[in-house]
Amino acid sequence: MSPVFPTVREVLALGPVRHGAPRLVAGDAGLDRPVRWVHVTEVPDIAPLLSGGELVLTTGIGLPADDAGLRAFIGDLADVGVSGLVVELGRRYASAVPRVMAAAAQRRGLPLVELRRATPFVRITEAVHALIVDAQLTELRATEEIHQRFTELSVEGADPGEVVRQAADLSGCPVVLENLSRQVLAYDPAGESAELLLDCWEQHSRRIRPAGRTAYDTDNGWLVTTVGARGQDWGRLLLRWPGEGDLAADRRGFGPGEEGGAPVGVAAPPTAPPTRLTILIERAASTLALGRLIRRDAEGLERQIHRTLLTALLDHSLPVDEVSLRARALGVVLERRHLVGVMVRHRGDDPAGEGGPLAEPGHPAEAGTAGPQAGPARLRDLAEAVGQALREAKLTGLTSAVDDQAVGVLLALPEPAAEERALAAFATALRRTRPDAPARPNGAPPQGGAVLVAAGSGVAGLREARRSLIEARQIADAARRDRRDLPVFRLPHVGLAGLLHLLRDEPRLQTFVERELGALLAYDAQHPREQLLGTLRAYLEQGRNKSAAAGAAHLSRPAFYERLARIRRVLDVDLDSVEACLSLHVALLALDAVRTP
């Protein structure tokens, strides 16, 4: 039943009801039941005409005279799901309702209230129905504002951080956006402690298992919806709802000064979030999904054309012959040339990002102090530096930013023999152009402002250029935290761990990790003292040598063997199988990749 309906507790606090000097005699546990309607009756067999959620008003003149009949009357009302029973004293019952009626109501948890002063039932009915209508109108206005706000965010192409912030602002609740590996992408604590919100987030998130694409997890108090578009889910949006609502009535009783008013000290049970919050989180999720599909470009016309052509090579959006023709019109000849894909990016991630207060996965979003434009401006500066380096090295090619982090180059060289010399000249020129990217002594990692250059394998024609560009992008992403200060990174410089790292945001890789290790991660979340994942890691890193693995894990061999047996049961896998262990080892490396910012 929708939470917009008032509760029995709220109805008892209304003026017309208080005028009747109400006294709760039974069923205090049901005071927070919603009241869908008010029904007046004087007949005992009214239950078949009710559908649940009604507050029944009666003077009792038509109720049964025997105890069995009264028990049956209360039982029928409870079975049909009425919210409560209000009996006006004076006509049938002079000073109190029969004890058998109160006892039956108490057993069934049905609120039973006496009105000790005559009160026109029509006034109670009008007041309750007005409350219901007002609440529904408020809900409608809130829903309308939600649609308007998120429509504006979609049109403006708002970044995920802004979408999450607006969701938290509209709901007044903490909101978290995570990927499929339970890493936090953005969040807003809605005025609460960010540290407490994100503490052990992955373990906490794995306990949140709603039944449906959009559903409320009552046990953990989170409203959750899946985020994705075009059949590709890539994350979850979570809104924390305390499950108690905002009750208008005073929880201490029906009102001060009411003679005989019974105190109401029962805490409200968990309740589902209002419908508007479900609408809100779904609209926020659709806005996030749409924003991921939209690419904004504020570059000059020539650079836009360069970007269009590079993008066309990457995603096959234009025929190769047309790319060649349009490139020649720009003065870049690609026919009968040796082509090399190059990617240039900053070491580490952009600290500001495009949206300001976005966090690296699993880390608080402390960045963004430079403002929402710092990320794009930094990328534009890098693109200009790359263009200048090409000119200084007397090289030709297409160049443009290809995503939010990297600047791509497709070098057009006269012959394969010129490849190494051209790359070295380009890297040297770029270092001169970028004074913030000096080499550091003793193999120390370059500072965050330094850049790295990654090159793919050279190809003989434009039809193969896509392979070289993608290879360069993969190498650049994999090498972004490499401690070596190489002038140019090539494919032999990165291994499997690097490959998995560059694929860490790919939903299919995250799905693979969840399929292989999800049960074990969920087990560790429920049993934090055991941490079977570490046991599995030691076993695989020691080449399945159980004695060596037990020593590496600082466990006795019997204890280690027992843990391995538990891992077998949890994952339902044969740990003596080379193929199964290989799959698990790759999943562990992939898990490390998605957990590493």
Side-chain angles (χ1 to χ4, degrees):
M1 189 175 298
S2 173
V4 301
F5 294 116
T7 63
V8 176
R9 188 191 305 273
E10 292 173 315
V11 169
L12 296 178
L14 293 174
V17 182
R18 290 164 63 92
H19 175 76
R23 179 172 60 191
L24 178 69
V25 297
D28 57 351
L31 283 173
D32 292 295
R33 292 178 178 177
V35 176
R36 185 181 59 83
W37 205 246
V38 177
H39 192 89
V40 180
T41 184
E42 297 297 349
V43 295
D45 55 349
I46 189 62
L49 303 179
L50 303 177
S51 58
E54 296 90 352
L55 181 66
V56 177
L57 308 182
T58 183
T59 63
I61 58 176
L63 296 187
D66 59 303
D67 292 352
L70 289 175
R71 292 192 192 95
F73 173 70
I74 295 296
D76 291 343
L77 293 181
D79 289 341
V80 81
V82 301
S83 299
L85 175 63
V86 177
V87 180
E88 183 186 83
L89 303 180
R91 299 194 183 185
R92 174 67 183 275
Y93 307 117
S95 59
V97 297
R99 290 184 179 180
V100 65
M101 181 185 292
Q106 185 65 30
R107 281 196 302 271
R108 300 300 300 269
L110 178 68
L112 175 59
V113 178
E114 299 172 340
L115 293 181
R116 293 165 292 155
R117 186 184 303 149
T119 301
F121 284 170
V122 65
R123 293 182 182 175
I124 297 177
T125 302
E126 289 174 344
V128 175
H129 293 172
L131 193 62
I132 292 172
V133 171
D134 286 346
Q136 290 175 332
L137 286 175
T138 300
E139 191 86 349
L140 183 60
R141 293 190 191 100
T143 301
E144 190 174 333
E145 182 183 359
I146 289 168
H147 284 295
Q148 181 178 354
R149 186 83 63 93
F150 285 106
T151 297
E152 292 173 354
L153 292 174
S154 297
V155 171
E156 294 170 359
D159 62 89
E162 178 63 16
V163 175
V164 169
R165 190 189 72 79
Q166 292 288 347
D169 181 61
L170 287 170
S171 65
C173 302
V175 178
V176 176
L177 172 65
E178 65 176 15
N179 63 16
L180 296 180
S181 293
R182 310 298 199 271
Q183 303 296 310
V184 176
L185 303 177
Y187 73 94
D188 191 305
E192 299 184 14
S193 169
E195 290 76 11
L196 291 178
L197 178 67
L198 299 182
D199 185 38
C200 299
W201 173 259
E202 181 181 344
Q203 290 185 356
H204 179 61
S205 174
R206 291 184 183 279
R207 298 189 189 103
I208 303 173
R209 299 179 179 179
R213 189 171 180 86
T214 299
Y216 179 61
D217 187 328
T218 306
D219 294 336
N220 294 285
W222 286 89
L223 177 62
V224 186
T225 191
T226 304
V227 184
R230 295 178 178 175
Q232 294 291 325
D233 296 334
W234 53 267
R236 298 198 307 175
L237 189 63
L238 304 94
L239 182 150
R240 191 172 70 192
W241 172 253
E244 290 187 6
D246 182 16
L247 301 179
D250 187 343
R251 291 186 179 275
R252 293 170 298 176
F254 298 140
E258 291 289 351
E259 181 181 353
V264 183
V266 181
T271 58
T275 303
R276 64 179 175 82
L277 290 188
T278 300
I279 295 173
L280 182 149
I281 197 172
E282 289 182 338
R283 280 305 312 270
S286 64
T287 302
L288 288 166
L290 179 61
R292 187 166 170 130
L293 299 177
I294 297 174
R295 311 288 298 186
R296 291 178 295 172
D297 190 1
E299 300 170 330
L301 180 58
E302 182 177 350
R303 186 159 294 175
Q304 286 186 32
I305 297 174
H306 275 248
R307 182 166 188 166
T308 298
L309 298 180
L310 280 176
T311 303
L313 290 174
L314 288 168
D315 61 15
H316 300 298
S317 59
L318 289 176
V320 171
D321 293 340
E322 184 175 348
V323 172
S324 177
L325 180 63
R326 295 177 65 174
R328 191 188 316 130
L330 289 173
V332 181
V333 179
L334 300 177
E335 303 97 333
R336 295 185 295 278
R337 293 290 190 273
H338 182 74
L339 305 176
V340 182
V342 178
M343 291 288 166
V344 183
R345 64 162 294 157
H346 288 277
R347 300 253 188 180
D349 285 329
D350 187 338
E354 193 170 338
L358 284 183
E360 277 293 311
H363 291 264
E366 297 174 352
T369 56
Q373 300 303 319
R378 192 168 181 246
L379 189 63
R380 284 195 298 270
D381 290 345
L382 181 59
E384 292 175 3
V386 169
Q388 184 177 342
L390 284 176
R391 291 189 292 272
E392 287 191 12
K394 296 180 173 56
L395 299 171
T396 60
L398 296 174
T399 176
S400 173
V402 293
D403 54 35
D404 294 337
Q405 300 289 348
V407 175
V409 182
L410 182 62
L411 289 178
L413 306 176
E415 57 184 359
E419 180 177 318
E420 294 298 331
R421 184 173 63 255
L423 289 173
F426 170 72
T428 301
L430 184 62
R431 283 183 180 248
R432 287 197 301 266
T433 305
R434 298 285 298 176
D436 61 338
R440 303 192 70 204
N442 303 323
Q447 297 286 356
V451 297
L452 64 86
V453 179
S457 303
V459 296
L462 192 57
R463 296 187 184 279
E464 299 178 85
R466 179 176 184 271
R467 173 170 59 84
S468 184
L469 286 167
I470 290 178
E471 185 177 301
R473 173 186 278 174
Q474 292 173 342
I475 295 169
D477 285 347
R480 68 191 182 95
R481 294 194 181 278
D482 196 299
R483 296 183 61 86
R484 293 169 295 177
D485 187 26
L486 302 177
V488 181
F489 282 86
R490 307 301 295 267
L491 190 59
H493 297 137
V494 296
L496 176 60
L499 176 64
L500 293 173
H501 180 79
L502 64 92
L503 295 174
R504 68 193 182 282
D505 293 326
E506 170 59 49
R508 285 173 293 184
L509 181 67
Q510 297 173 7
T511 300
F512 168 73
V513 173
E514 290 300 306
R515 185 176 65 246
E516 293 292 316
L517 299 174
L520 195 63
L521 292 169
Y523 181 91
D524 281 354
Q526 296 290 338
H527 307 83
R529 292 187 178 181
E530 293 189 47
Q531 294 302 304
L532 296 181
L533 189 71
T535 303
L536 178 62
R537 186 186 301 276
Y539 177 67
L540 296 176
E541 289 181 348
Q542 296 299 322
R544 297 186 297 127
N545 184 318
K546 297 178 182 178
S547 297
H554 305 291
L555 293 171
S556 66
R557 281 191 288 182
F560 187 81
Y561 295 162
E562 182 181 348
R563 287 196 178 189
L564 283 183
R566 195 172 300 121
I567 292 172
R568 288 191 184 95
R569 292 194 299 270
V570 172
L571 293 180
D572 190 22
V573 67
D574 180 8
L575 293 180
D576 293 326
S577 166
V578 175
E579 183 178 353
C581 288
L582 175 61
S583 182
L584 289 173
H585 205 171
V586 172
L588 274 174
L589 292 175
L591 178 65
D592 292 339
V594 299
R595 284 178 168 177
T596 302

